Amino acid sequence: MKRFKILKLVLVVILLGGCAVFRYQVPDTAIRTTPVPPLSAERKADILALYHSLNQPVPVSPEIFIKAVHGYDHIPRDKDLLTIIDFSQPSTEKRATVIDMEAGEILFNTWVSHGVNTGENMAEHFSNTEGSRKSSLGFYLTGETYRGKNGRSLRLDGLEKGFNDSARTRYIVIHGADYVSPEFIEKEGRLGRSWGCPAFPLDVVKPIIRKIKRGSVVFIYGEDPDYLNHSLYLSQES
């Protein structure tokens, strides 16, 4: 009887606490307060060598890849995985890439949506403000998963103050959507758009979430001068 009461109490705590009980804790040291060190010529050469050695053509430019990896190098993480979302490309392109950095292998390359107020086919306007329905740029760490109105979803913690640190309070998460598909592109000439979340195709979102959840790096890139000139994670030499 006593054992039953203990189990019942544990169940109540879980139900009341929800995801907060199991929240993945992002290291405080991940949020930078000073700029990353300048990119050395030696490390830049290493990054370019990795770029050219990957198992398939990389769907981002060498310049963006260098920025992504240099930031990744300075983020405490639990997984050697890097997801690059390149919002300088139109939504009709497969602009989301998941890379196993230890194995030097591209695991996924697929479509991803941007926010409804970020643009039509091109992502042009970005925000960290709640209610903006715009995408946010910068580096993130993946958190815990949960099941919501969009099915299995993955929480994101923004690591850049003023650019994406409101991601959790804005409910900016990775989730699947039926408007992220080649069929939608064929019909509308672009992907559908989210309220700011990076939404993935329904047929790949679950394996992607399973792979990258809890402590891997996500880099969302866009051609925004304010971000490119002021991010503490981007070395201006890169």
Side-chain angles (χ1 to χ4, degrees):
M1 187 69 174
K2 184 177 180 181
R3 184 177 179 183
F4 174 77
K5 287 182 178 180
I6 293 173
L7 290 173
K8 185 177 180 181
L9 178 61
V10 170
L11 179 61
V12 169
V13 170
I14 291 173
L15 291 174
L16 289 176
C19 291
V21 175
F22 300 107
R23 178 179 171 183
Y24 178 84
Q25 296 297 316
V26 173
D28 291 338
T29 52
I31 301 178
R32 292 204 69 86
T33 56
T34 59
V36 295
L39 179 64
S40 69
E42 292 79 9
R43 181 54 181 153
K44 185 174 182 178
D46 290 342
I47 295 172
L48 284 173
L50 172 62
Y51 180 88
H52 292 296
S53 70
L54 289 170
N55 58 313
Q56 56 184 284
V58 190
V60 299
S61 70
E63 293 76 19
I64 295 173
F65 187 78
I66 289 169
K67 292 180 186 298
V69 177
H70 188 52
Y72 164 93
D73 283 346
H74 294 89
I75 296 174
R77 58 192 181 275
D78 290 336
K79 294 183 176 180
D80 293 324
L81 299 172
L82 172 60
T83 301
I84 303 174
I85 295 175
D86 181 8
F87 279 157
S88 69
Q89 298 185 46
S91 70
T92 50
E93 297 295 323
K94 292 184 177 182
R95 52 188 181 168
T97 306
V98 180
I99 304 168
D100 184 326
M101 297 294 287
E102 185 174 12
E105 181 180 359
I106 294 177
L107 304 178
F108 301 94
N109 176 231
T110 190
W111 294 277
V112 61
S113 71
H114 55 251
V116 66
N117 290 330
T118 285
E120 293 285 333
N121 191 31
M122 295 298 300
E124 300 175 305
H125 310 289
F126 306 95
S127 176
N128 191 41
T129 303
E130 189 170 354
S132 67
R133 299 185 183 178
K134 295 179 181 179
S135 300
S136 300
L137 301 178
F139 287 90
Y140 300 76
L141 276 176
T142 60
E144 71 280 9
T145 64
Y146 70 98
R147 184 169 294 280
K149 65 179 181 179
N150 294 304
R152 181 61 60 190
S153 304
L154 175 63
R155 297 193 189 277
L156 297 173
D157 285 293
L159 305 179
E160 304 208 51
K161 189 171 180 60
F163 291 109
N164 63 19
D165 59 325
S166 296
R168 189 169 280 263
T169 57
R170 291 181 63 203
Y171 299 98
I172 301 301
V173 302
I174 289 176
H175 64 77
D178 58 6
Y179 53 75
V180 184
S181 68
E183 292 78 17
F184 196 98
I185 292 173
E186 184 176 357
K187 180 181 177 182
E188 301 292 338
R190 59 165 172 77
L191 289 183
R193 295 161 299 165
S194 67
W195 283 13
C197 296
F200 285 71
L202 292 172
D203 62 342
V204 296
V205 68
K206 288 182 180 179
I208 288 176
I209 286 176
R210 281 197 298 268
K211 191 71 178 178
I212 71 173
K213 66 181 180 180
R214 294 180 176 271
S216 74
V217 175
V218 176
F219 177 51
I220 301 181
Y221 176 85
E223 298 288 352
D224 180 70
D226 185 37
Y227 175 72
L228 296 176
N229 291 326
H230 296 102
S231 169
L232 297 179
Y233 279 100
L234 297 185
S235 169
Q236 299 308 313
E237 286 77 9
S238 66

